[in-house]
Amino acid sequence: MMPSTPTTPNPDNSGLQVNLVGPNEDSYRTLERKINDEVKKNGTSPVERIEIQRMVKLVDSNHWRCYSQRRNEVGQELGGSNFNQKFLFLTSPYVDQISVYGIDMARDAIDGTFGHGIYLTQSALNASRYAFNSKTGCSAHQHTKCTTCTRKMIVCKVVLGKSYNSTGKVNHSELPRGYHSVQGVIKGHPSDVFVVYDTYQIIPTYYVEFTTFFKQRGGQPDSNGFGRRQGNTSRRGDPARQNNQGNGLVTAASQVVTTLAPLAPVLIDTFLRRGGRGSAVPNANFNVQGTIPVLGSEYKLSFSLN
């Protein structure tokens, strides 16, 4: 069934709010635990551990209204409120754009194994694997197992509705009536891969930067040869990342906005011009609103630190 909601987000995103999530917050710890529980259970994986370096909560009031409408439609089609909502991981070359503007079928859809759509996964290991180009690796070192460069992904809320198990390519118009997504079947078993065809069945919820470390081979780290970070490598020991340790507002603002790199210079400048000061108030709330040019478009953005 074709979606009744539009599939192209409004480029004038005036409803976005981004909030830095500290390492002591429940959502940060829950995600980190979920990721590394999966790593421990998968003994055949070359991954030793995954460390979250930065996590930002994304709240888009405009997109949320459309998402809620579509979620209700799916629930009604299934005869109740069971719209089968899950948290899934999304990796893409356009993670920064997705975190600001939401999903765009024209930009973000992939013509993959199970047809043309938005591919998401339940597996953090798969998300880590595809966070870099599978052939060329990271942009700085051209290595797929780089332990120095930061990887990015989006944690999304996704309305899957009734999933159609598919072993091959499926177009949305070919889905049997009453189905709302595809779950890939590999070697006769349902996989952790889901494909969605309606952008308003997906809402980006968290932007995550992380580093992947690999198991040793013969006593040497299975890495790109650029070495693990020297000195104190623990993010919890990094003064720039410690939570509520007396950082001033400007430092806190920098931590928030630099997670969305294209926005950082103009937001910091705007914050300072509007009266921001370096007073040591680590838990302050503040907002910056205005029309800001990004990637050739304009939109209004507010952000806060809780």
Side-chain angles (χ1 to χ4, degrees), residues 97-113:
Q97 291 92 326
I98 291 170
S99 63
V100 174
Y101 297 110
I103 306 293
D104 186 336
M105 284 294 291
R107 181 193 62 214
D108 303 319
I110 297 173
D111 188 17
T113 303

Side-chain angles (χ1 to χ4, degrees), residues 219-232:
Q220 296 297 322
D222 185 4
S223 68
N224 57 353
F226 292 91
R228 299 183 183 226
R229 297 172 184 171
Q230 299 298 314
N232 186 353

Side-chain angles (χ1 to χ4, degrees), residues 179-198:
Y179 286 87
H180 309 92
S181 62
V182 161
Q183 181 173 14
V185 176
I186 300 175
K187 296 181 179 179
H189 300 283
S191 71
D192 55 51
V193 176
F194 292 88
V195 188
V196 176
Y197 305 91
D198 181 345

Side-chain angles (χ1 to χ4, degrees), residues 21-23 25-32 52-53 55 235:
V21 180
E25 295 186 42
D26 288 343
S27 54
Y28 191 111
R29 290 178 170 180
T30 298
L31 179 60
E32 190 169 54
I52 297 176
Q53 303 298 334
M55 183 173 174
R235 54 177 168 71

